[in-house]
Amino acid sequence: MGELGNLERNIADLNSEMASALVAASSTTALEAFRVEYLGRKGRVSQLFKSLADVAPEDKGEAGRVLNELKDHITHAFEERAAGLSSDELRVRLLHESVDMTLPGISRPVGHTHPLSRVQREIESIFMRMGFDVATGPEIETEYYNFEALNIPADHPARADWDTFYITDTTLLRPHTSPVQVHVMESTSPPVRIICPGRCYRRDAQDATHSPVFHQIELLWVEEGLSLANLKYVLELFIHEYFGEGYTMRFSGDFFPFTEPSVQVHIKAPGASRWLEIMGAGMVDPAVLTAVGYDPERVNGFAFGLGIERMAMLKYGVDDIRAFLTNDLRFIRQF
């Protein structure tokens, strides 16, 4: 009975200590430390069970019953404390993380469309509604597609006007999107109705109206029976759609190697006295049609090209092309 008496006293002491330790465990971390200390595999209750070896055989049954009651008691107390602590911590967390639904929301801007992208999409939309498809092509081109197929042979004086970025002796960064028209005509039988938007490159010194990297949209329509009257009609529709009603348009003679006749297109705003040149245009030269396998006696066509930066500057009143390249959000957010 001596060892049983010692065991009972140890149990009473452990119960008293456990109660104080459980009250002091004020967080889930402290509560877990309590569980390990008292109920863990090497905890204090387990150590008491090992003391059964010292209890007399006739007392082992009683000692085992008392130890099991102790373990059940501590386990139950631990579970109650854990449930209460979880509820307390949840209340505190909800109090700190609660959201006042009456407060105004926080604006999360997701970006802003660049004015050049806006203008390109608008121009594409206008011509797509007229029945034109969008065609694209490589920015690195061969001399053939960029010059020869467009009636600009090696000795042609117009070659000097392009001042092109060459990569090798025969490959270059395209100075216009006209090569896309050649690629499409080579693989497509008439009628052909396309617009060709894209980035272009020329050895221009950067200033208020020039940039070595710029964007173009060119249009090509090849079919039977087309004339300058058709070109004028399409351009008038575009100008009224893009700039608004009241704008007037006129042609003036010009020269481009790939069109014959060639014209410059000018517009005048309502009430204005000055004409503004906006693009070059003309009827596709028969030599270009022949180069792609078309019969110029059966079909003809017209084409024009405009600069996206130029159109954006006219529409939004921007007087320096470099403003489009600064990525200054104060500028971009105006559009």
Side-chain angles (χ1 to χ4, degrees), residues 131-179:
F132 289 84
D133 295 322
V134 177
T136 58
E139 295 180 12
I140 298 177
E141 270 294 358
T142 64
E143 279 194 314
Y144 172 76
Y145 283 103
N146 200 75
F147 293 125
E148 279 84 357
L150 293 167
N151 198 34
I152 313 175
D155 58 351
H156 198 290
R159 285 278 189 107
D161 296 336
W162 299 103
D163 205 10
T164 307
F165 287 104
Y166 274 87
I167 300 172
T168 68
D169 290 341
T170 57
T171 59
L172 48 89
L173 294 175
R174 66 183 184 191
H176 50 181
T177 56
S178 301

Side-chain angles (χ1 to χ4, degrees), residues 46-116:
S46 295
Q47 296 301 319
L48 286 179
F49 270 97
K50 290 180 180 179
S51 67
L52 280 174
D54 301 326
V55 177
E58 63 273 16
D59 296 328
K60 284 187 185 292
E62 177 63 17
R65 182 187 65 78
V66 173
L67 284 173
N68 282 321
E69 286 181 352
L70 170 68
K71 183 177 181 180
D72 291 343
H73 173 65
I74 295 178
T75 301
H76 180 69
F78 168 79
E79 291 174 348
E80 282 190 341
R81 178 63 173 154
L85 197 59
S86 296
S87 298
D88 292 341
E89 288 188 343
L90 179 60
R91 280 194 294 272
V92 172
R93 182 180 174 187
L94 290 176
L95 181 64
H96 285 87
E97 296 182 4
S98 62
V99 178
D100 185 349
M101 301 301 291
T102 65
L103 292 175
I106 299 174
S107 174
R108 303 289 185 188
V110 294
H112 194 88
T113 305
H114 195 280
L116 295 183

